[in-house]
Amino acid sequence: MNRKELQELAEIRIKEAEILLKSECYDGAYYMAGYSIECALIAWIAKSTKEHDFPDKKIADKVHTHDLVRLLGVLDVQVPEEIKFNWFIVKDWSEKARYEKYSMVEASDLLAAINDPTEGVFKWIKEHW
């Protein structure tokens, strides 16, 4: 996948998460919301690669993870103060969420942290991807 496809996928997954939340499918909403951030972070990482260059193996290995904190670490950026509260909620998402049960509150909180119009994690990532 290329950067543009990852950006599109991130946008699609967050919309799916919102639909699932409205449909009271909290487990799926939680999973898709976190997955959108994974895709968004990888798109941001892809921005730093040069077209036609062979990827650095160390970076490529680090990107093959579902761990949001590790993905952010590849970017070597600090979470801005105004985003930290929302990042604290989002960072604990894991691909293992697909096997877990989540309440309305948990799914709503994750989506709110991602979609906050001024301090949302998704908004912050999109400013850099």
Side-chain angles (χ1 to χ4, degrees):
M1 293 192 89
N2 64 36
R3 180 174 159 237
K4 184 176 183 337
E5 291 169 331
L6 286 161
Q7 290 170 333
E8 290 171 358
L9 188 58
E11 298 275 6
I12 290 167
R13 293 298 176 253
I14 199 65
K15 286 178 189 170
E16 290 171 340
E18 292 165 355
I19 291 166
L20 288 165
L21 184 67
K22 288 177 186 169
S23 300
E24 300 179 7
C25 299
Y26 307 122
D27 307 330
Y30 187 93
Y31 177 70
M32 285 297 171
Y35 188 50
S36 73
I37 296 301
E38 178 183 327
C39 293
L41 285 170
I42 295 171
W44 187 356
I45 293 166
K47 181 181 179 181
S48 67
T49 63
K50 293 185 177 126
E51 188 176 11
H52 308 298
D53 279 0
F54 194 77
D56 181 282
K57 182 172 175 8
K58 290 178 187 173
I59 292 174
D61 288 343
K62 288 178 183 178
V63 172
H64 286 277
T65 183
H66 300 284
D67 185 317
L68 302 181
V69 173
R70 285 186 63 197
L71 289 171
L72 188 65
V74 171
L75 292 163
D76 195 29
V77 297
Q78 296 296 314
V79 177
E81 269 314 304
E82 64 272 14
I83 307 297
K84 282 188 178 179
F85 179 79
N86 285 329
W87 175 251
F88 184 77
I89 294 167
V90 172
K91 73 173 181 57
D92 291 330
W93 176 88
S94 162
E95 84 282 2
K96 294 175 185 152
R98 64 183 170 225
Y99 304 113
E100 304 293 330
K101 303 290 285 173
Y102 293 92
S103 69
M104 178 187 70
V105 171
E106 291 168 315
S108 296
D109 286 351
L110 182 61
L111 270 154
I114 290 169
N115 282 333
D116 183 296
T118 57
E119 299 173 351
V121 173
F122 199 55
K123 178 184 179 292
W124 171 60
I125 293 170
K126 286 173 66 173
E127 291 171 357
H128 303 283
W129 73 1

